[in-house]
Amino acid sequence: GSGASPATMNDFLAGLAFFLIIEGLLYAAAPSFVKGLAAILPEFPESQLRIGGIIAMGIGVFGIWLIRA
């Protein structure tokens, strides 16, 4: 078929749920850290933020690859 399999959708939804858990945990456990980070982020050039995001995505993809291997 042309659509995603139910297992693929379940994996995607589980990943999204884990993201929300970690995000919520960060806000609940260290709100002042999150506020401080939000205050300094505009000082970084967009290129640096983009590179950091690409590196984070790469680490995440590698981690999933390791788990699934």
Side-chain angles (χ1 to χ4, degrees):
S2 61
S5 71
T8 302
M9 184 57 80
N10 285 344
D11 286 347
F12 172 76
L13 292 174
L16 184 60
F18 277 119
F19 169 78
L20 292 172
I21 290 168
I22 292 168
E23 183 89 4
L25 181 63
L26 191 59
Y27 280 99
S32 58
F33 171 76
V34 174
K35 287 173 72 173
L37 186 60
I40 64 167
L41 275 177
E43 299 174 15
F44 288 94
E46 285 186 17
S47 60
Q48 257 187 322
L49 295 173
R50 188 170 287 117
I51 289 169
I54 290 168
I55 290 170
M57 286 190 305
I59 292 169
V61 168
F62 181 69
I64 290 172
W65 178 77
L66 281 177
I67 291 167
R68 296 285 182 173

